[in-house]
Amino acid sequence: MTNSIVQTKFPYRYDVVGSLLRTQTLKDAHAKFKAGQITAAELQQVQHNETRKIVAKQVDLGLKDITDGEFNRSWWHLDFLWGLTGVDKYDYHKSYKFHGSKTRTDNAELSGKVAFNPDHPFFESFQFLQSITPDGITPKQTIPSPTMLFRDNRSDNWPKFYDTWDQYLADVAKAYHETILHFYELGARYIQLDDTTWAFLISKLHETADDPDAHAKYIKLAEDSVKVINQLLEDLPADLTVTTHICRGNFKSTFLFSGGYDGIADYLGQLNYNGLFLEYDSERAGDFTPLDRIWNGDKNKRIVLGLITSKAPKLEDKDAVINRINQASAKVPLENLALSTQCGFASTEEGNKLTEQEQWAKLKLVRDIAEEVWNVD
């Protein structure tokens, strides 16, 4: 991967995962739009105004890279997938299996061969974000990993459009590669691919340990995921940083998956990303034992420790977090570590169960700890 040989700046020592709580003004505008009381153009104007506010807030906090809070979407993943050529929206008629909460039943399905869409609405959204980002700050674009097309029945009808599964995977990788290149052409230099597939595999590989046939199915998913991700990352520009966030599910402060990284560490270690954001805010994530295998000795790669939860308002103890960073440095050198919240604050428009003020306090704590540990400003 071309860009891994020069990347050092990002992920920054204190980084933001992506989504932020939707403001009440934005929520009210969405309700009015659904009721037919305002137009799409009026809704977009509200979205732009509210995005300006949260960009300014991130800058005031001293963040070196900022996001649009994902204010342009309802779901962290589906809105992007629906924008690809060959992917359509449909009603799954099932809620995603979060612990203690039910989601809406939206989903995506193949409607043709998957391809890059030059008119994808996320391009316009990025251009707006870039236009309001001050000099010296990097606008970070988040999109779902291509592996999100492989799950939850989204690829069930691939034989309608492809002769082989490998042909389908090749098209997915190509569509993503071209999409990322277009973001780059528009000025993007920092892109993050969010991914729940690896946490899904943690659970499934453990559950099927005594069932060889079922286990082989999930091993194949892991291998296919590595292949597609590394293929889309090939020959990207040297000054483009691409990272991933390994998510365990995030909906109204609930979660989908539990378990340590041991079973997937070697696969994560094969991924040619510049950095990996790992959730480590609770015992559900296991300990730091697999970190060295995930990092895999790449001195140009950063592991971002998600030690500050985005699911609950209580602030973590600063010294306890610093102690955990020091523990992790026994597996990965401190210079290859960074800090973030464990996830975003609103992977869907509903958002987690804390206030905007509590959200900003969490991000300030991330910054304050990082400044002390790495002596950055």
Side-chain angles (χ1 to χ4, degrees):
M1 181 181 174
T2 304
N3 53 343
S4 67
I5 62 174
V6 297
Q7 185 276 331
T8 55
K9 185 175 181 181
F10 292 104
Y12 201 68
R13 296 301 184 189
Y14 45 93
D15 216 302
V16 57
V17 174
S19 64
L20 296 168
L21 293 171
R22 309 309 195 260
T23 64
Q24 191 59 51
T25 300
L26 182 58
K27 288 182 177 180
D28 290 345
H30 275 287
K32 290 178 181 178
F33 176 71
K34 290 175 183 177
Q37 297 173 2
I38 62 173
T39 66
E42 289 171 324
L43 173 61
Q44 185 183 61
Q45 187 59 56
V46 173
Q47 175 198 314
H48 283 180
N49 290 341
E50 296 306 294
T51 302
R52 285 188 179 92
K53 294 176 184 177
I54 57 107
V55 164
K57 187 66 177 179
Q58 291 173 84
V59 173
D60 287 345
L61 275 177
L63 296 177
K64 303 302 181 182
D65 58 285
I66 55 90
T67 76
D68 60 6
E70 301 181 1
F71 277 21
N72 64 321
R73 57 186 112 168
S74 177
W75 299 84
W76 66 276
H77 57 329
L78 294 176
D79 294 74
F80 176 83
L81 298 179
W82 292 328
L84 294 172
T85 298
V87 181
D88 278 353
K89 181 178 182 178
Y90 85 106
D91 190 341
Y92 187 39
H93 297 294
K94 295 180 182 179
S95 171
Y96 297 98
K97 297 178 181 179
F98 280 85
H99 293 258
S101 191
K102 289 186 177 182
T103 68
R104 288 166 282 132
T105 58
D106 297 336
N107 208 337
E109 66 178 353
L110 299 185
S111 58
K113 289 195 171 184
V114 179
F116 163 68
N117 176 13
D119 297 317
H120 197 297
F122 275 36
F123 295 137
E124 182 180 355
S125 293
F126 173 77
Q127 288 177 291
F128 174 73
L129 174 63
Q130 186 179 44
S131 73
I132 62 173
T133 301
D135 291 343
I137 307 295
T138 299
K140 175 179 177 179
Q141 176 65 48
T142 62
I143 60 176
S145 166
T147 61
M148 300 311 301
L149 272 175
F150 306 165
R151 289 184 30 230
D152 298 324
N153 306 100
R154 294 176 193 129
S155 295
D156 284 358
N157 57 358
W158 69 265
K160 293 181 180 179
F161 312 111
Y162 294 95
D163 293 329
T164 69
W165 176 253
D166 284 342
Q167 289 175 351
Y168 166 57
L169 295 184
D171 267 7
V172 172
K174 184 173 185 287
Y176 261 79
H177 182 81
E178 292 177 354
T179 298
I180 289 173
L181 280 180
H182 192 61
F183 275 122
Y184 180 85
E185 291 165 357
L186 294 174
R189 294 298 181 268
Y190 188 6
I191 296 174
Q192 177 182 297
L193 275 60
D194 297 312
D195 202 340
T196 59
T197 299
W198 297 107
F200 168 78
L201 283 167
I202 288 172
S203 297
K204 291 302 181 182
L205 289 171
H206 177 72
E207 290 173 10
T208 61
D210 297 325
D211 184 342
D213 290 340
H215 198 69
K217 169 186 173 183
Y218 295 113
I219 291 293
K220 178 70 162 55
L221 174 57
E223 293 172 345
D224 284 346
S225 297
V226 171
K227 178 172 68 174
V228 170
I229 290 168
N230 284 346
Q231 186 174 339
L232 73 90
L233 293 173
E234 287 179 1
D235 300 320
L236 290 175
D239 58 341
L240 173 65
T241 294
V242 184
T243 63
T244 189
H245 171 236
I246 308 302
C247 181
R248 293 166 181 267
N250 191 46
F251 177 72
K252 293 184 178 180
S253 294
T254 62
F255 65 94
L256 282 170
F257 309 114
S258 298
Y261 293 96
D262 303 72
I264 61 166
D266 292 335
Y267 297 110
L268 296 181
Q270 296 174 45
L271 298 174
N272 292 329
Y273 285 116
N274 298 126
L276 291 92
F277 288 70
L278 303 179
E279 299 197 356
Y280 265 117
D281 65 321
S282 74
E283 294 180 356
R284 289 189 301 105
D287 59 27
F288 294 139
T289 301
L291 274 185
D292 55 346
R293 291 159 55 205
I294 297 172
W295 176 57
N296 205 20
D298 187 345
K299 294 183 178 180
N300 294 294
K301 180 179 292 184
R302 284 185 177 171
I303 301 297
V304 187
L305 302 173
L307 297 172
I308 310 295
T309 191
S310 67
K311 295 182 183 295
K314 183 179 178 180
L315 283 178
E316 286 78 357
D317 180 80
K318 184 177 181 180
D319 291 337
V321 173
I322 292 174
N323 183 55
R324 293 199 72 196
I325 294 171
N326 290 333
Q327 291 173 5
S329 68
K331 288 291 183 179
V332 177
L334 191 62
E335 65 188 34
N336 291 99
L337 294 174
L339 182 66
S340 73
T341 55
Q342 130 274 340
C343 194
F345 292 89
S347 297
T348 69
E349 62 183 281
E350 289 85 353
N352 285 345
K353 296 179 180 179
L354 68 170
T355 67
E356 291 179 52
Q357 183 178 359
E358 291 163 342
Q359 164 187 265
W360 298 120
K362 290 276 182 172
L363 291 173
K364 181 179 182 298
L365 180 62
V366 169
R367 184 204 68 190
D368 290 348
I369 292 173
E371 286 179 342
E372 182 169 335
V373 172
W374 287 281
N375 193 29
V376 292
D377 55 28

